[in-house]
Structures are given as C-alpha cells and as structure tokens.
Amino acid sequence: MTRPRPDSPTLFELPVRPDFTLEREAMRDGRLPVAGTDEAGRGPLAGPVVAAAVILDPDSIPDGLDDSKRLDAGARERVFADILSHAVAVSFASVSALSIDAADIRKASLEAMRRSVATLCVQPLMVLADGRDVPPGLICLGRAIVKGDQRSQSIAAASIVAKVVRDRMMARAGACDLRYGFEVHMGYATERHRTAISAHGPASRLHRLSFAPFRLAEPVG
C-alpha cells in the first residue's frame, strides 16, 4: 500500500498560529463537515496514547487555538472548555500501554485517531490528520498534514482535547499509585520517573514494556 504523500510545509510557510485555510479549501470542494484529528502521548514511558477528533463550527471558532505543546496547562484547560462549548462535535479515544506493546506506538497512535473519528456524533466528509500518515480505515477521505497542529485550527483543537484528556487520565493514575508521580510528569521520562522505576520496577498495565528502559521486563505490583 502506497503511503499518502503528506502536505509538508517549510519552516517559513508555517503561519504564526493555525488558521482555517485548510478547512475552507475542503469546504469549497464540498467536503463539509471537516474534522481535525491529533494524538497526545507518543513519547512517554507510561500510560495510553490518546487521540481526539474535533469538528469546529466555522462561525464560532474558539479563541486561543494553537498546538497544545505551545500552550501552558492553564491555557489548555481554558481553550478545552471553549472547544467543548462551541464545537459541532468532539470525540476522543485511547489505546492502552498493553496494546502499544502488542503493536507499536505509530500503529497505536493511528488507531486511536481512527477510533476518535469513528465515534464523532456527526460524520465528517474530510479528516485532516496531524503527521505524515492518514489513519487507516477512516470513514471518509483523509489528508495528512505535517505540523498540522500549527497549521489547522481543527487539528489544533484536537491536539488540545487529546492532551487535556490524557493529562487527566495520568493524574488519576498518579492518585491511584503514589510511587511514580504520574500526575507530575504524565509518564514522560523525567529524572523523578526514572528514579521511581529503578526503585519499584514497571507498573503493571501502565508502563510500556516495549520502550527503553524496560524492553519487556517483568512488571511488578
């Protein structure tokens, strides 16, 4: 199967903040509604990868939409609330650490994106997906957008939803298991996290044993 050719901008072509240009192009082609999808959590040592899909209302786009990595936690929470209040449809899905280990993080991320699109309450006619790959099995036409969360407001909205939802999941995991500090580092490979892993080993069902430093070591606890 031939990989869809991504829409790859140069550094100087990126807008200062994402806009609605790509969505309006799709709308002019008769592909309305347009959904954006993105994931959060590809890099951590623990927790699920979470994806979201968002269909924005062209007449009521929330202020402050941007790549979730360029917003602090407070700003993400504020924009997240606005997205839920004003979007036509919002959905999210996750793929667990166990499933990540059974496949790989790329496939798991794409599957989470597919699931998030499939569970939207409004079916899109076009999906703009962050990255180099269109998630396999979409219910409609898809387009891969490199650095999409910095170009498309729909993808930026999805990136914010995915990040906020995943952070809340990891905060809950931290409250249930006090050994690792998940609520602080969200599963990323910080010094505190690595020190806790050295002391306690990996947590069952939470740590990704296919990632270094585990390499399929036996979980404990």
Side-chain angles (χ1 to χ4, degrees), residues 15-176:
V16 175
R17 298 184 73 171
D19 57 31
F20 212 62
T21 300
L22 296 172
E23 289 86 343
R24 294 197 186 281
E25 289 177 2
M27 291 164 60
R28 284 196 296 270
D29 292 336
R31 299 200 175 275
L32 182 72
V34 182
T37 186
D38 198 2
E39 51 72 29
R42 284 186 67 133
L45 303 180
V49 60
V50 175
V54 176
I55 298 175
L56 292 174
D57 180 350
D59 297 320
S60 186
I61 296 175
D63 292 331
L65 289 176
D66 203 347
D67 174 0
S68 63
K69 297 183 290 297
R70 302 200 297 201
L71 301 175
D72 62 29
R76 284 195 298 267
E77 288 283 351
R78 288 192 296 274
V79 181
F80 175 80
D82 284 345
I83 293 167
L84 296 189
S85 296
H86 295 97
V88 173
V90 179
S91 181
F92 64 87
S94 65
V95 173
S96 70
L98 292 175
S99 294
I100 292 169
D101 289 337
D104 60 52
I105 187 58
R106 174 183 165 275
K107 291 178 182 177
S109 299
L110 293 172
E111 173 61 13
M113 294 165 78
R114 184 199 67 78
R115 292 179 188 177
S116 70
V117 172
T119 52
L120 283 166
C121 64
V122 176
Q123 182 171 326
L125 294 183
M126 166 67 84
V127 172
L128 304 175
D130 184 59
R132 296 182 175 277
D133 300 294
V134 174
L138 287 180
I139 56 178
C140 63
L141 184 67
R143 180 181 177 188
I145 308 294
V146 174
K147 296 189 181 297
D149 46 12
Q150 298 178 35
R151 302 179 64 196
S152 158
Q153 288 179 320
S154 298
I155 296 176
S159 77
I160 291 167
V161 172
K163 174 63 174 169
V164 170
V165 169
R166 187 180 187 279
D167 283 357
R168 292 181 180 183
M169 294 171 73
M170 295 308 295
R172 179 61 180 163
C176 293

